[in-house]
Amino acid sequence: MTKILYQPIEHNKQKRILVKFEFNDKLIKKLKETTDAKWSNTLKAWHIADTELHRIKCKLPVQEKVVTTLRQTQPITKKLTENNSLLLQKFIQQLQLKAYSASTIKTYRNEVHIFLETIGNLNAETLTIVELRRYIQYCITTLNLSENTIHSRLNALKFLYEKVLGRDRFFIELPRPKKHLQLPKVLGQQELRKLFAAPTNLKHKAILFIAYSAGLRVSEVINLRLQDIDREREQLFIHCSKGKKDRYVRLSPMVLDVLEQYYKKADIKPNNYLFEGQEKGQPYTIRSAQQIFTDARRKAGILKSVSFHSLRHSFATHLLEKGIDVIFIKDILGHFDIRTTERYLHVRKDVLINIESPIDDLYK
């Protein structure tokens, strides 16, 4: 039986619970499905929100909650009331009927469950906008949640009250905290050369090459199928990515050569996904792909605090430096928000896949 260590900590100015155990795929999957688990490269462990529910599950002392600003007379319960429990089920059903992604459903479900747990015996359907303002204020001032977490919770509650309970524009009066504008962390060309040279395993090398060469998300890399590679037209088909969007991106000739070498020399040939894990026909896990990047970064001696996603940031930045129009880059990356680039939407999209990848410049 896997031994698990639980420890309350403060991480990035947030109260979290450290969850430490030896690598176990099944345990990681269960943790990610049932909590807001995040991996910390600094702590070399998983961590989850420090909530009453999680403390109970982890058998840690339960802290007294400061939620009396909602209604002084209402007691706090550890279990959802029947009405709120039914509302949560209805909420999840509505998300599923609208075909939201599994990741979004998980996030929204967790946010609403925390909210319902916090209000205790109060009926969520009867809360006013004034009481919801107090709840968000509690999240900001008492829980010290980050701006991103507050936005995530607001989005989930907005869906609950407007899409499930039918309160039109209910949240228009509720202000949102301004998000911190974080600049992407980018690798230079010399750093990229060292990073790509670090792995000796061809499969690992191919994963890093293809991620940077086309600016792919880690989920897009591991979900690439053999049938998504168009050698003749030098294209990659990205199926149902974030926002449920399909798109084509250019396949670098040099990366195609790396992929062919990887396939040719692989002891066990992939038969469905381009990069398969230990189970035949199943894709590599996101965690495994991220670990490949981390190992390569350390071996390359790169001290920057960068992640797998930094390959995507680097790709976009290097295209901008090559003089590629930002509207092309937006579409290549498959970004959903077009508010800042609407005036450029008349630009023809048939030239996107003919834009050379900056990876080809590294080895000319």
Side-chain angles (χ1 to χ4, degrees):
M1 187 174 179
T2 304
K3 186 178 180 181
I4 308 174
L5 169 69
Y6 299 110
Q7 180 184 347
I9 60 168
E10 185 170 309
H11 185 60
N12 293 334
K13 298 182 179 179
Q14 293 184 36
K15 292 181 179 179
R16 308 286 291 178
I17 297 175
L18 188 75
V19 185
K20 206 162 189 177
F21 52 88
E22 291 184 1
F23 183 80
N24 184 315
D25 265 332
K26 291 183 179 178
L27 190 54
I28 291 172
K29 183 179 179 182
K30 183 178 179 181
L31 189 68
K32 292 169 73 175
E33 285 177 348
T34 57
T35 70
D36 67 332
K38 296 178 182 177
W39 173 260
S40 169
N41 284 326
T42 306
L43 301 172
K44 301 294 182 295
W46 293 91
H47 55 92
I48 60 178
D50 189 349
T51 65
E52 183 180 359
L53 180 64
H54 287 165
R55 280 178 171 262
I56 292 170
K57 288 181 177 179
C58 299
K59 297 182 179 178
L60 292 171
V62 178
Q63 297 176 331
E64 183 180 355
K65 292 191 172 184
V66 187
V67 291
T68 52
T69 51
L70 289 175
R71 282 184 187 166
Q72 296 285 347
T73 58
Q74 294 294 332
I76 301 167
T77 59
K78 297 176 182 178
K79 190 176 180 181
L80 300 186
T81 63
E82 184 178 353
N83 284 341
N84 288 344
S85 181
L86 290 172
L87 180 60
L88 180 62
Q89 293 175 32
K90 188 176 179 181
F91 172 77
I92 296 170
Q93 181 188 54
Q94 185 74 353
L95 287 169
Q96 292 171 338
L97 289 173
K98 291 183 73 68
Y100 274 59
S101 70
S103 175
T104 301
I105 291 175
K106 172 190 167 185
T107 301
Y108 278 25
R109 179 196 65 205
N110 290 342
E111 297 291 10
V112 170
H113 193 285
I114 291 169
F115 164 69
L116 296 175
E117 181 195 60
T118 303
I119 67 174
N121 286 339
L122 296 176
N123 187 343
E125 296 186 39
T126 65
L127 292 185
T128 66
I129 193 66
V130 173
E131 290 168 317
L132 287 172
R133 286 172 74 98
R134 289 177 188 161
Y135 170 72
I136 297 302
Q137 183 182 17
Y138 158 75
C139 291
I140 295 171
T141 59
T142 304
L143 298 183
N144 295 316
L145 300 183
S146 68
E147 292 90 346
N148 286 338
T149 303
I150 295 296
H151 275 262
S152 174
R153 193 156 299 181
L154 280 169
N155 290 339
L157 292 176
K158 180 179 172 68
F159 188 95
L160 173 67
Y161 280 93
E162 295 186 0
K163 303 299 182 183
V164 179
L165 295 177
R167 299 191 192 178
D168 189 38
R169 297 172 66 81
F170 186 61
F171 271 58
I172 195 169
E173 299 177 20
L174 198 61
R176 287 174 177 260
K178 188 175 181 180
K179 283 186 178 181
H180 168 60
L181 180 60
Q182 291 181 307
L183 295 177
K185 294 174 182 177
V186 176
L187 292 165
Q189 290 194 345
Q190 282 289 79
E191 290 171 318
L192 286 168
R193 288 192 183 95
K194 291 179 182 178
L195 185 80
F196 296 146
T200 54
N201 185 302
L202 265 179
K203 182 178 185 178
H204 296 176
K205 194 182 291 285
I207 287 174
L208 298 180
F209 267 118
I210 203 166
Y212 170 70
S213 70
L216 302 183
R217 301 176 178 94
V218 62
S219 59
E220 294 170 347
V221 173
I222 64 169
N223 284 311
L224 279 172
R225 298 163 298 181
L226 294 172
Q227 66 193 54
D228 296 331
I229 301 173
D230 189 333
R231 291 174 175 80
E232 184 178 344
R233 301 185 66 182
E234 295 183 344
Q235 295 178 9
L236 284 174
F237 176 64
I238 310 301
H239 172 70
C240 199
S241 187
K242 190 174 181 179
K244 297 197 173 183
K245 295 168 65 178
D246 292 347
R247 73 182 190 277
Y248 282 101
V249 295
R250 180 175 172 82
L251 173 59
S252 159
M254 195 210 74
V255 173
L256 177 58
D257 182 60
V258 172
L259 293 177
E260 288 176 342
Q261 290 298 315
Y262 146 65
Y263 187 85
K264 181 180 178 181
K265 296 182 179 180
D267 294 330
I268 302 176
K269 309 292 184 190
N271 62 3
N272 184 15
Y273 291 94
L274 179 59
F275 303 110
E276 294 185 350
Q278 295 180 346
E279 190 175 344
K280 191 72 172 175
Q282 295 301 309
Y284 222 51
T285 65
I286 287 178
R287 179 75 192 96
S288 297
Q290 290 170 334
Q291 190 61 49
I292 288 170
F293 176 89
T294 301
D295 293 342
R297 177 182 61 80
R298 289 174 182 162
K299 190 175 179 180
I302 298 171
L303 301 179
K304 286 181 181 177
S305 178
V306 288
S307 65
F308 193 104
H309 202 70
S310 298
L311 293 173
R312 181 171 160 89
H313 290 320
S314 302
F315 167 83
T317 302
H318 295 160
L319 280 183
L320 276 173
E321 292 170 351
K322 282 164 63 73
I324 305 301
D325 196 304
V326 67
I327 188 60
F328 289 158
I329 298 172
K330 169 196 164 296
D331 286 340
I332 292 171
L333 294 175
H335 284 158
F336 187 75
D337 192 349
I338 61 171
R339 287 175 296 179
T340 58
T341 51
E342 281 180 341
R343 59 180 175 170
Y344 301 112
L345 292 182
H346 66 280
V347 178
R348 292 172 59 194
K349 296 184 180 181
D350 57 356
V351 297
L352 294 178
I353 56 176
N354 293 320
I355 295 174
E356 289 187 4
S357 168
I359 198 170
D360 296 316
D361 295 339
L362 299 181
Y363 297 94
K364 280 185 179 178

